[in-house]
Amino acid sequence: MAKRVLSGIRATGRLHLGNYLGAVKGMLELQDRSDLETLFCVVDLHATTTPYDPKTLPQNTRSVILDYLACGINPGKSALYVQSDLADLIAQLSFYFSTVETIARMQHLPTFKDKVKQHPNNVTMALLNYPLLMAADILIYKAELVPVGIDQEPHLEVAREIARKMNDTYGTKFPEPVRFATSGEYVPSLTGEGKMSKSVEGSYISLTDNLELITKKLAGAPTDSGKGEIVPPTGGVANLLKFVELFEGIEKRKMYEEKYMGEGIRYGDLKKELAEAIYKELKPIQEKRKELEHKTSYVDEVIKSGAEKARKIAQETVLEVKEKMGLVKKLRVNNQ
Ligand code: TRP
């Protein structure tokens, strides 16, 4: 049987370069492999674990679906669906998982601690359960490969742990999923600190940004005098060079590094070239997305058939878990 691949993106509106390089590129690579069955979703249930607006969530969810399609996710090859269309099964499975996971373990996750800091008045059960919901997303298809950014490694560790504990406790047969890494798995922030993030203003470039906006955002990225004995390993300059590497190649990066240690870098030129290189990659995606905005019924059909395909597999897993947990009468009568 083909190995399964599952990944999800949170419904927080438009995608940025971090999502694109760290996750979507991996998905594109995997959907072309005939030995794999790929499923990709927009995780709108996860979006409810931090403060959000129920009025705008549907648009945000739809927007990520359009981005997926514009980036090249092919519904003929991959099931593309919205997580909450399977809420009955996924939330159910995450509850079953909660019987084998401790509160202490969830409270100690770095991702949980970050969110507590960001939203101290919203430390809810849903937030604590976030990793279990993600484990359910993956394990409901017994998926073995998960193309996501490196920041998701602690969550994957939880998914593996849950798989083991479920298997040990109830005799289920969950595989232990591993992350599929891409070369752009760590996309730095334009601010010079940490990773590119939707929740940090000035840190990201959206997939929808035009050349002017990209140029403006890059202009705000911190630099230095452009010269020195060693190329700084962290901070604004290091991050800019990482972008050069990601969009213009490693050779270009090396050239700038040599310049830094020699006659010096002119950041105005570097940023102009970089902005053009980034825009060149985004332009076709933006054009495709515009087309898709008018194809309402096509997109509806994609989401519907994606959910149907996903549901067939998910139902089987949930039934199996219920049986193993003693929650349904054995379907097969054993009367020898
Ligand atoms: N936690 C992931 C993120 O923030 C989103 C996510 C939810 C996910 N469920 C998933 C990613 C399942 C991969 C697989 O990016």
Side-chain angles (χ1 to χ4, degrees):
M1 203 179 64
K3 267 197 196 181
R4 294 203 183 105
V5 177
L6 180 283
S7 193
I9 295 179
R10 253 193 280 185
T12 43
R14 295 295 171 84
L15 297 195
H16 57 65
L17 283 184
N19 307 121
Y20 177 63
L21 297 169
V24 180
K25 279 222 162 165
M27 300 179 200
L28 293 173
E29 196 179 323
L30 295 177
Q31 82 169 350
D32 284 335
R33 276 175 47 180
S34 58
D35 59 327
L36 300 174
E37 185 178 353
T38 42
L39 300 109
F40 303 122
C41 61
V42 182
V43 293
D44 54 348
L45 294 176
H46 279 97
T48 70
T49 65
T50 44
Y52 78 102
D53 181 358
K55 288 199 193 72
T56 54
L57 185 57
Q59 285 131 263
N60 289 342
T61 301
R62 181 85 174 187
S63 178
V64 178
I65 289 281
L66 294 185
D67 280 338
Y68 265 125
L69 291 169
C71 287
I73 294 298
N74 178 347
K77 293 178 178 170
S78 304
L80 188 58
Y81 67 97
V82 175
Q83 184 190 32
S84 64
D85 283 344
L86 276 77
D88 52 334
L89 296 170
I90 295 169
Q92 186 183 166
L93 187 62
S94 84
F95 175 79
Y96 299 149
F97 287 175
S98 75
T99 66
V100 297
E101 190 54 279
T102 66
I103 298 170
R105 171 78 169 99
M106 296 295 96
Q107 282 173 325
H108 284 111
L109 283 174
T111 42
F112 177 73
K113 290 183 183 168
D114 285 350
K115 286 284 181 280
V116 170
K117 256 189 231 153
Q118 275 175 29
H119 310 286
N121 298 321
N122 196 71
V123 186
T124 61
M125 288 302 299
L127 186 65
L128 192 65
N129 274 314
Y130 185 110
L132 296 189
L133 190 58
M134 177 161 162
D137 280 331
I138 301 166
L139 295 175
I140 208 160
Y141 311 109
K142 300 194 172 172
E144 293 174 66
L145 265 185
V146 184
V148 274
I150 194 162
D151 60 305
Q152 294 301 309
E153 197 53 74
H155 286 150
L156 278 177
E157 188 52 53
V158 171
R160 288 191 284 271
E161 192 176 298
I162 298 274
R164 283 197 295 276
K165 287 188 178 171
M166 288 297 290
N167 296 349
D168 288 350
T169 311
Y170 303 116
T172 49
K173 291 198 172 59
F174 286 114
E176 291 186 29
V178 294
R179 195 170 68 86
F180 179 77
T182 62
S183 56
E185 63 178 11
Y186 185 82
V187 180
S189 163
L190 294 180
T191 61
E193 260 175 72
K195 66 160 196 158
M196 185 173 279
S197 164
K198 191 74 201 286
S199 45
V200 182
E201 217 26 72
S203 85
Y204 64 90
I205 291 175
S206 292
L207 287 194
T208 45
D209 289 353
N210 58 25
L211 181 59
E212 200 186 333
L213 203 50
I214 297 171
T215 306
K216 202 171 134 206
K217 286 184 178 176
L218 282 180
T223 53
D224 58 10
S225 66
K227 250 174 122 107
E229 305 236 317
I230 50 160
V231 181
T234 56
V237 173
N239 288 1
L240 273 181
L241 290 174
K242 179 74 190 173
F243 282 111
V244 167
E245 179 185 330
L246 290 170
F247 288 93
E248 300 179 78
I250 187 90
E251 289 308 317
K252 195 82 187 190
R253 179 196 176 116
K254 282 189 189 144
M255 186 206 89
Y256 279 123
E257 283 177 346
E258 274 160 29
K259 272 196 170 176
Y260 194 90
M261 295 179 291
E263 80 263 30
I265 296 178
R266 291 167 52 141
Y267 289 112
D269 296 346
L270 180 151
K271 286 180 173 181
K272 185 168 180 286
E273 230 186 86
L274 179 58
E276 278 161 8
I278 294 176
Y279 183 61
K280 195 171 156 226
E281 179 136 359
L282 298 189
K283 196 166 170 249
I285 299 175
Q286 294 174 3
E287 284 168 359
K288 187 147 177 222
R289 198 181 192 287
K290 274 231 170 63
E291 277 172 34
L292 285 160
E293 274 162 21
H294 305 292
K295 296 188 176 170
T296 312
S297 53
Y298 164 75
V299 176
D300 288 344
E301 188 47 45
V302 164
I303 307 175
K304 189 165 160 257
S305 66
E308 278 165 9
K309 201 166 148 192
R311 179 170 286 275
K312 280 207 187 91
I313 311 170
Q315 260 167 347
E316 270 178 41
T317 307
V318 170
L319 193 58
E320 180 195 333
V321 172
K322 283 183 80 178
E323 276 187 16
K324 294 275 165 66
M325 287 182 72
L327 294 168
V328 275
K329 275 194 230 111
K330 279 262 192 279
L331 295 177
R332 287 168 283 278
V333 186
N334 193 351
N335 52 8
Q336 286 91 336

